[in-house]
Amino acid sequence: MGRKLYRTLLQDRRLEWSMDISKVLRKHEFFRIDILTTPLYRSLMADESRGIKVERKHGERFRRALVDLKAFDPGRKICSDGSHIYLPVRQLSEQAAEKLRMIGDFAVVNFGFQPEEMILTPEDILGFRPSFEIVGDIAMIEDLEEGEAERVASALMSSSKSIKTVIAPISDVEGEYRTRRYRHVAGEERTTTTHKEHGLRYRIDLEGAYFTPRLGTERLRIASLVGPTDVVLDMFAGVGPFSILMAKRCRWVVAMDKNPVAVQYLRENARLNKVENIDILEGDANEIALRYQNAADHVIMNLPHSASLFLPAAIGAAKPGGIVHYYCIAPEDDLYRDELLIREAAEKMSAGIEVLCESIVRSYAPHRLNVVIDFRVKKL
């Protein structure tokens, strides 16, 4: 019944559009609109716009092609009648049409595509762009004045169903375990979540161990440098976002951290991601690294506030020709000043260095940035 009505009503598109849709239905002696015909009813009531009609089996290939050609109209909803897909287009040049014909047959049609529902952004709701980070289903916002933080939290949760909790930091990164304290602002009262990054999952307690999603791109950059036979030493592993990603690409990882909560989650995350080629050690990196002299192809030093204190241990653990990835916080007018500290540490160990890369990782505070210095260790 539904498909028959669909075909009949399509033919009746030539009727005067001032005619009430109920008159069209009564003309053909159909007195109800069932589940199958509801999408058509809505499309008939919508404004007509240009689209293409393709066989259902080719629908996704045509959609991707339209997106690549910048011809797909994301403001309109895709529709289907069971055997065919109707894809909304903005415009379709003859050159674009030729490329589409390489996929299969299609017909250009005018169709009553329903508009996509507009999703308001936090900026739309608030009138300004709030500063926030999302870890798993938790949003971390700035600790604003009373009432303002709650308003930002409400806007975030209204615009994203995936956000279940909003918290605000009430301290900087502090203590030997590099943790922060937060206050609950909205949603579920918790600081634990599961964060997804590069196809991996990480269980995290944001108050128990430091984590930022803003290093995701940097973690992927380091992973791209790691080879399948390499050994990686992660001196400040935290919950494992560097270590576990590296373990998926190298022969072995030695991951260490002084924070027992971080080590607990690191072990859990290794199991969660089915990583077995990893040694997980709790303790001071300066002491643990002594066990791995000349062992590592890559040494990761993601302790930006005090990594310089661990340079001798890192240089000692690197193989001749091994690479150290050193992170620090630096003023914008002297970004790579720690290169001098690196050279001095190497000279004291009768070693040399070759700087391979110096770049900004992210902004950290006004006029202060998180930078990375990659250097190769040359040992006599």
Side-chain angles (χ1 to χ4, degrees), residues 128-152:
F128 64 91
R129 181 176 297 176
S131 176
F132 66 96
E133 291 183 1
I134 294 178
V135 178
D137 59 1
I138 297 178
M140 299 182 293
I141 66 174
E142 294 179 350
D143 191 26
L144 304 169
E145 295 180 5
E146 187 175 354
E148 191 67 9
E150 283 70 17
R151 196 164 77 91
V152 170

mmCIF file of all heavy atoms in Angstrom, residues 128-152:
data_model
loop_
_atom_site.group_PDB
_atom_site.id
_atom_site.type_symbol
_atom_site.label_atom_id
_atom_site.label_comp_id
_atom_site.label_asym_id
_atom_site.label_seq_id
_atom_site.Cartn_x
_atom_site.Cartn_y
_atom_site.Cartn_z
ATOM 1 N N PHE A 128 28.894 33.925 22.485
ATOM 2 C CA PHE A 128 30.355 33.948 22.444
ATOM 3 C C PHE A 128 30.837 32.497 22.440
ATOM 4 O O PHE A 128 30.079 31.572 22.746
ATOM 5 C CB PHE A 128 30.950 34.701 23.642
ATOM 6 C CG PHE A 128 30.673 34.053 24.974
ATOM 7 C CD1 PHE A 128 31.550 33.126 25.521
ATOM 8 C CD2 PHE A 128 29.526 34.382 25.693
ATOM 9 C CE1 PHE A 128 31.293 32.532 26.751
ATOM 10 C CE2 PHE A 128 29.263 33.795 26.926
ATOM 11 C CZ PHE A 128 30.145 32.873 27.448
ATOM 12 N N ARG A 129 32.090 32.296 22.077
ATOM 13 C CA ARG A 129 32.654 30.952 22.006
ATOM 14 C C ARG A 129 33.330 30.605 23.328
ATOM 15 O O ARG A 129 34.359 31.192 23.665
ATOM 16 C CB ARG A 129 33.666 30.846 20.862
ATOM 17 C CG ARG A 129 34.284 29.451 20.712
ATOM 18 C CD ARG A 129 35.202 29.393 19.515
ATOM 19 N NE ARG A 129 34.475 29.614 18.283
ATOM 20 C CZ ARG A 129 35.054 29.682 17.082
ATOM 21 N NH1 ARG A 129 36.376 29.544 16.994
ATOM 22 N NH2 ARG A 129 34.328 29.880 16.002
ATOM 23 N N PRO A 130 32.771 29.667 24.081
ATOM 24 C CA PRO A 130 33.388 29.312 25.371
ATOM 25 C C PRO A 130 34.639 28.470 25.168
ATOM 26 O O PRO A 130 34.784 27.772 24.160
ATOM 27 C CB PRO A 130 32.289 28.499 26.070
ATOM 28 C CG PRO A 130 31.522 27.875 24.949
ATOM 29 C CD PRO A 130 31.543 28.891 23.832
ATOM 30 N N SER A 131 35.536 28.543 26.135
ATOM 31 C CA SER A 131 36.748 27.726 26.112
ATOM 32 C C SER A 131 36.477 26.429 26.865
ATOM 33 O O SER A 131 36.057 26.463 28.029
ATOM 34 C CB SER A 131 37.902 28.488 26.761
ATOM 35 O OG SER A 131 39.058 27.681 26.830
ATOM 36 N N PHE A 132 36.686 25.294 26.206
ATOM 37 C CA PHE A 132 36.438 24.005 26.857
ATOM 38 C C PHE A 132 37.204 22.898 26.158
ATOM 39 O O PHE A 132 37.615 23.028 24.998
ATOM 40 C CB PHE A 132 34.941 23.680 26.881
ATOM 41 C CG PHE A 132 34.334 23.447 25.523
ATOM 42 C CD1 PHE A 132 34.183 22.163 25.013
ATOM 43 C CD2 PHE A 132 33.888 24.521 24.752
ATOM 44 C CE1 PHE A 132 33.621 21.945 23.760
ATOM 45 C CE2 PHE A 132 33.329 24.319 23.494
ATOM 46 C CZ PHE A 132 33.189 23.025 23.010
ATOM 47 N N GLU A 133 37.405 21.802 26.876
ATOM 48 C CA GLU A 133 37.970 20.576 26.321
ATOM 49 C C GLU A 133 37.021 19.438 26.648
ATOM 50 O O GLU A 133 36.346 19.467 27.684
ATOM 51 C CB GLU A 133 39.348 20.274 26.925
ATOM 52 C CG GLU A 133 40.445 21.223 26.518
ATOM 53 C CD GLU A 133 41.797 20.807 27.091
ATOM 54 O OE1 GLU A 133 41.858 19.769 27.788
ATOM 55 O OE2 GLU A 133 42.785 21.522 26.860
ATOM 56 N N ILE A 134 36.987 18.446 25.780
ATOM 57 C CA ILE A 134 36.138 17.287 26.032
ATOM 58 C C ILE A 134 37.013 16.051 26.149
ATOM 59 O O ILE A 134 37.819 15.754 25.262
ATOM 60 C CB ILE A 134 35.097 17.097 24.922
ATOM 61 C CG1 ILE A 134 34.111 18.271 24.925
ATOM 62 C CG2 ILE A 134 34.338 15.779 25.106
ATOM 63 C CD1 ILE A 134 33.058 18.208 23.843
ATOM 64 N N VAL A 135 36.860 15.343 27.246
ATOM 65 C CA VAL A 135 37.529 14.060 27.466
ATOM 66 C C VAL A 135 36.434 13.028 27.685
ATOM 67 O O VAL A 135 35.704 13.098 28.677
ATOM 68 C CB VAL A 135 38.469 14.102 28.684
ATOM 69 C CG1 VAL A 135 39.115 12.735 28.899
ATOM 70 C CG2 VAL A 135 39.540 15.163 28.503
ATOM 71 N N GLY A 136 36.311 12.097 26.761
ATOM 72 C CA GLY A 136 35.225 11.128 26.857
ATOM 73 C C GLY A 136 33.891 11.841 26.822
ATOM 74 O O GLY A 136 33.579 12.574 25.882
ATOM 75 N N ASP A 137 33.078 11.661 27.871
ATOM 76 C CA ASP A 137 31.784 12.339 27.937
ATOM 77 C C ASP A 137 31.796 13.467 28.974
ATOM 78 O O ASP A 137 30.744 13.896 29.445
ATOM 79 C CB ASP A 137 30.653 11.352 28.229
ATOM 80 C CG ASP A 137 30.850 10.592 29.539
ATOM 81 O OD1 ASP A 137 31.852 10.843 30.234
ATOM 82 O OD2 ASP A 137 30.004 9.740 29.858
ATOM 83 N N ILE A 138 32.997 13.943 29.310
ATOM 84 C CA ILE A 138 33.144 15.034 30.275
ATOM 85 C C ILE A 138 33.678 16.279 29.569
ATOM 86 O O ILE A 138 34.669 16.208 28.838
ATOM 87 C CB ILE A 138 34.100 14.647 31.424
ATOM 88 C CG1 ILE A 138 33.524 13.471 32.223
ATOM 89 C CG2 ILE A 138 34.351 15.836 32.343
ATOM 90 C CD1 ILE A 138 34.433 12.990 33.342
ATOM 91 N N ALA A 139 33.013 17.410 29.804
ATOM 92 C CA ALA A 139 33.500 18.689 29.294
ATOM 93 C C ALA A 139 34.179 19.434 30.436
ATOM 94 O O ALA A 139 33.630 19.534 31.541
ATOM 95 C CB ALA A 139 32.354 19.520 28.732
ATOM 96 N N MET A 140 35.365 19.948 30.173
ATOM 97 C CA MET A 140 36.110 20.746 31.151
ATOM 98 C C MET A 140 36.095 22.195 30.694
ATOM 99 O O MET A 140 36.572 22.501 29.600
ATOM 100 C CB MET A 140 37.542 20.232 31.280
ATOM 101 C CG MET A 140 37.638 18.791 31.759
ATOM 102 S SD MET A 140 39.352 18.224 31.957
ATOM 103 C CE MET A 140 39.914 18.210 30.239
ATOM 104 N N ILE A 141 35.527 23.074 31.507
ATOM 105 C CA ILE A 141 35.419 24.478 31.161
ATOM 106 C C ILE A 141 36.258 25.318 32.120
ATOM 107 O O ILE A 141 36.752 24.820 33.126
ATOM 108 C CB ILE A 141 33.948 24.955 31.199
ATOM 109 C CG1 ILE A 141 33.405 24.895 32.628
ATOM 110 C CG2 ILE A 141 33.091 24.117 30.256
ATOM 111 C CD1 ILE A 141 32.011 25.486 32.781
ATOM 112 N N GLU A 142 36.416 26.585 31.795
ATOM 113 C CA GLU A 142 37.117 27.486 32.699
ATOM 114 C C GLU A 142 36.264 27.723 33.944
ATOM 115 O O GLU A 142 35.033 27.684 33.884
ATOM 116 C CB GLU A 142 37.392 28.824 32.005
ATOM 117 C CG GLU A 142 38.364 28.724 30.838
ATOM 118 C CD GLU A 142 38.571 30.065 30.170
ATOM 119 O OE1 GLU A 142 37.827 31.009 30.491
ATOM 120 O OE2 GLU A 142 39.485 30.167 29.330
ATOM 121 N N ASP A 143 36.904 27.943 35.064
ATOM 122 C CA ASP A 143 36.169 28.210 36.295
ATOM 123 C C ASP A 143 35.735 29.678 36.298
ATOM 124 O O ASP A 143 36.453 30.556 36.775
ATOM 125 C CB ASP A 143 37.032 27.898 37.519
ATOM 126 C CG ASP A 143 36.208 27.907 38.803
ATOM 127 O OD1 ASP A 143 34.996 27.652 38.724
ATOM 128 O OD2 ASP A 143 36.785 28.165 39.876
ATOM 129 N N LEU A 144 34.548 29.920 35.748
ATOM 130 C CA LEU A 144 34.043 31.274 35.574
ATOM 131 C C LEU A 144 33.299 31.737 36.831
ATOM 132 O O LEU A 144 33.148 30.991 37.795
ATOM 133 C CB LEU A 144 33.106 31.306 34.362
ATOM 134 C CG LEU A 144 33.726 30.800 33.052
ATOM 135 C CD1 LEU A 144 32.652 30.624 31.995
ATOM 136 C CD2 LEU A 144 34.802 31.751 32.571
ATOM 137 N N GLU A 145 32.821 32.966 36.789
ATOM 138 C CA GLU A 145 32.063 33.502 37.915
ATOM 139 C C GLU A 145 30.813 32.664 38.153
ATOM 140 O O GLU A 145 30.284 32.023 37.238
ATOM 141 C CB GLU A 145 31.685 34.959 37.638
ATOM 142 C CG GLU A 145 32.874 35.901 37.555
ATOM 143 C CD GLU A 145 32.432 37.327 37.289
ATOM 144 O OE1 GLU A 145 31.198 37.561 37.262
ATOM 145 O OE2 GLU A 145 33.305 38.187 37.113
ATOM 146 N N GLU A 146 30.337 32.712 39.389
ATOM 147 C CA GLU A 146 29.164 31.928 39.757
ATOM 148 C C GLU A 146 27.996 32.274 38.841
ATOM 149 O O GLU A 146 27.692 33.438 38.614
ATOM 150 C CB GLU A 146 28.780 32.206 41.210
ATOM 151 C CG GLU A 146 27.668 31.292 41.719
ATOM 152 C CD GLU A 146 27.386 31.502 43.194
ATOM 153 O OE1 GLU A 146 28.131 32.271 43.844
ATOM 154 O OE2 GLU A 146 26.433 30.905 43.686
ATOM 155 N N GLY A 147 27.359 31.274 38.322
ATOM 156 C CA GLY A 147 26.241 31.470 37.406
ATOM 157 C C GLY A 147 26.672 31.415 35.959
ATOM 158 O O GLY A 147 25.977 30.835 35.110
ATOM 159 N N GLU A 148 27.828 32.001 35.639
ATOM 160 C CA GLU A 148 28.312 31.995 34.257
ATOM 161 C C GLU A 148 28.782 30.598 33.863
ATOM 162 O O GLU A 148 28.524 30.143 32.741
ATOM 163 C CB GLU A 148 29.442 33.005 34.096
ATOM 164 C CG GLU A 148 29.840 33.276 32.657
ATOM 165 C CD GLU A 148 28.756 33.986 31.857
ATOM 166 O OE1 GLU A 148 27.759 34.434 32.432
ATOM 167 O OE2 GLU A 148 28.929 34.077 30.630
ATOM 168 N N ALA A 149 29.489 29.904 34.747
ATOM 169 C CA ALA A 149 29.923 28.539 34.454
ATOM 170 C C ALA A 149 28.722 27.626 34.230
ATOM 171 O O ALA A 149 28.734 26.769 33.333
ATOM 172 C CB ALA A 149 30.793 28.009 35.590
ATOM 173 N N GLU A 150 27.683 27.817 35.044
ATOM 174 C CA GLU A 150 26.474 27.009 34.891
ATOM 175 C C GLU A 150 25.796 27.283 33.548
ATOM 176 O O GLU A 150 25.259 26.372 32.917
ATOM 177 C CB GLU A 150 25.507 27.296 36.050
ATOM 178 C CG GLU A 150 25.883 26.637 37.370
ATOM 179 C CD GLU A 150 27.130 27.226 38.019
ATOM 180 O OE1 GLU A 150 27.543 28.348 37.636
ATOM 181 O OE2 GLU A 150 27.700 26.561 38.911
ATOM 182 N N ARG A 151 25.835 28.530 33.108
ATOM 183 C CA ARG A 151 25.239 28.878 31.814
ATOM 184 C C ARG A 151 26.016 28.246 30.662
ATOM 185 O O ARG A 151 25.429 27.725 29.706
ATOM 186 C CB ARG A 151 25.213 30.407 31.657
ATOM 187 C CG ARG A 151 24.290 30.892 30.551
ATOM 188 C CD ARG A 151 24.005 32.372 30.704
ATOM 189 N NE ARG A 151 25.105 33.189 30.259
ATOM 190 C CZ ARG A 151 25.234 33.658 29.010
ATOM 191 N NH1 ARG A 151 24.325 33.356 28.092
ATOM 192 N NH2 ARG A 151 26.257 34.424 28.684
ATOM 193 N N VAL A 152 27.337 28.263 30.759
ATOM 194 C CA VAL A 152 28.166 27.617 29.738
ATOM 195 C C VAL A 152 27.912 26.108 29.732
ATOM 196 O O VAL A 152 27.773 25.489 28.676
ATOM 197 C CB VAL A 152 29.659 27.915 29.976
ATOM 198 C CG1 VAL A 152 30.536 27.047 29.079
ATOM 199 C CG2 VAL A 152 29.948 29.389 29.726
#
